Amino acid sequence: MSALSFSPHLHININRNPKLTPKRRAKPNKIRVSLQTTFPQATFSDPFVLQLAESLEDSLPSSSSSSPQPLPLQKLRDSSSQTLLSTPWPSRKDEPFRFTDTSFIKSSQIQPITRPSSSLDVSTDAQFPSLVLIDGFIQNSALNLSNLPDGVYVGSLLGVSDGIMKRVSDFISEFQCGDLFWSINGMGAPDLGVIYVPAGCKVENPIYLKYLSVESGNVDSKKLPISNPRVVVLVEEGGEVGIIEEFVGKEGNDCYWANSVLEVVIGKGGKVRHSYLQNQSLNAAHIKWTAVRQETASGYELVEVSTGGKLSRHNVHVQQLGPDTETELSSFHLLVSDQTQDLHSWLVLDHPQGYCRQLHKCIVAHSLGQAVFDGNVKVNRYAQQTDAGQLTRSLLLEPRATARGIDLETARKALVFSFGAEVIEQFPYPSIRNQVVSHVKNLMGTTDVSFS
């Protein structure tokens, strides 16, 4: 039976008229002292997580004194390994995973991918500068970075200048809200992709990030190769850039696990337009983190269409770190098989005159499909004159439904397109909109439904 689970939240902690209370006798301040050397905190290690962490560590290329790991990557792995020592595998008893069953991953034979696939021809949109990651490994041979403005860098962390290296190092491992899968990625990422936009630079064409999963297993073998691609986007003050992320697998419905992280840091007055397409195999696991930090008067826009994966979960965490900051999130999820599509989002507003809007739409078109949405907007005390809004709309397409005047299949297809149009039309690039429309048509098994 198909299911929908939605938990939108709007927390407002603003005290405009504090209540006056009589003066009371002062109490001594309480001081909390933690002496970990004398009274260490108990840690509860999960054997399964520890075994996975060891296999991830063994899969990484070894460093030497002549070629040490870059500082940001080493910081990331050190902090992630410490977290994994005391983080258990999530279960349905944990509130963030109450409606999301991850046992499909845990019961599989998880195998870290140790090397990139060779001699693979990857096509990208030729009109955009592009960066290709195959099974988490950056493919330098597939770089298409012509006509980028001076000072803009797109590529591996290993190729950045000392100045960019320092800026990336300032932010890596500073995010404190990640979960187990965030740390698994930090432990297993073979490299860091970096997109750097200097102050005042406006990049005209979007940067196209194509993530391709090649190594895979089949349903009978229980083999589940895991990749951990990670990209950092750093936009300095007044900079602007568009980012397109597309996640795909090989032809067919193979089994694999793509465990991805994108970190975005937007300086004062900067803007990032983020398009995200998730078209993974219907037998794949796809877990993604998008963590965004916005400085004063910056803007971030996310448009997402997610259709693939047997289990797909997108964690979006956006924090406004200054006043006059704007955030817009729009997502459309379509389930046409025995799938779970899960969106967990957190928007944290701590400063005056912030603006945020979130639109979530999903269609469950299969009797065994499950859609989960947990949207949390937290407006804290000092976020005065904040304008925050959230809207979610969902459809369950009942297999036994009837339609008047037209046949049932045509009615269902027309309904899908009209329902998703509000999100799809927000993609800022016509070629991406056309690509999404074509993909949805293929999923619905038709080419005769119009879309405008």
Side-chain angles (χ1 to χ4, degrees), residues 207-345:
I207 310 299
Y208 200 111
L209 302 177
K210 185 160 188 175
Y211 303 82
L212 180 61
S213 295
V214 175
E215 189 74 23
S216 60
N218 56 60
V219 176
D220 295 332
S221 70
K222 303 283 285 185
K223 174 185 174 183
L224 192 70
I226 177 176
S227 62
N228 292 284
R230 194 179 191 108
V231 175
V232 177
V233 179
L234 179 53
V235 179
E236 301 286 14
E237 181 176 345
E240 295 184 14
V241 69
I243 304 295
I244 302 171
E245 289 190 293
E246 182 186 15
F247 290 83
V248 295
K250 294 189 304 182
E251 295 294 330
N253 288 321
D254 292 332
C255 300
Y256 54 87
W257 175 12
N259 187 50
S260 175
V261 169
L262 178 74
E263 292 187 79
V264 181
V265 180
I266 311 173
K268 180 179 179 181
K271 292 184 180 179
V272 172
R273 297 176 181 87
H274 182 192
S275 303
Y276 166 51
L277 314 175
Q278 192 276 103
N279 307 326
Q280 301 280 26
S281 158
L282 294 179
N283 284 323
H286 178 84
I287 296 181
K288 173 175 167 57
W289 265 94
T290 300
V292 182
R293 284 167 278 189
Q294 295 183 244
E295 299 291 345
T296 299
S298 64
Y300 173 72
E301 301 173 13
L302 169 65
V303 183
E304 167 188 352
V305 171
S306 180
T307 61
K310 181 178 179 64
L311 168 61
S312 174
R313 180 182 175 103
H314 189 193
N315 299 297
V316 182
H317 189 284
V318 181
Q319 186 164 13
Q320 295 186 352
L321 300 175
D324 302 305
T325 310
E326 297 184 0
T327 306
E328 296 186 46
L329 309 177
S330 302
S331 59
F332 173 49
H333 291 185
L334 174 61
L335 295 81
V336 298
S337 181
D338 177 9
Q339 300 171 261
T340 296
Q341 291 268 2
D342 181 356
L343 174 62
H344 270 61
S345 64

Side-chain angles (χ1 to χ4, degrees), residues 1 49 56 88 101 112 119 133 136 159 166 176 200 204 225 248 276 324 334 344 358 404 406 411 423 425:
M1 181 177 68
V49 173
L56 289 170
D101 186 3
S119 64
L133 296 92
K166 183 180 183 306
Q176 302 297 323
E204 182 178 351
V248 295
Y276 166 51
D324 302 305
L334 174 61
H344 270 61
Q358 183 172 22
R404 295 182 179 181
I406 58 175
V423 174
E425 288 176 344

Side-chain angles (χ1 to χ4, degrees), residues 10 294 300-303 316 318 320 325-331 343 345-347 349 354-360 373 375-377 379 385-392 422 426:
L10 180 61
Q294 295 183 244
Y300 173 72
E301 301 173 13
L302 169 65
V303 183
V316 182
V318 181
Q320 295 186 352
T325 310
E326 297 184 0
T327 306
E328 296 186 46
L329 309 177
S330 302
S331 59
L343 174 62
S345 64
W346 299 264
L347 282 77
L349 292 78
Y355 173 89
C356 71
R357 285 290 184 273
Q358 183 172 22
L359 172 64
H360 170 263
F373 172 59
N376 190 309
V377 180
V379 183
Q385 298 179 323
T386 286
D387 185 354
Q390 184 184 71
L391 177 65
T392 179
E422 186 176 3
Q426 294 187 43

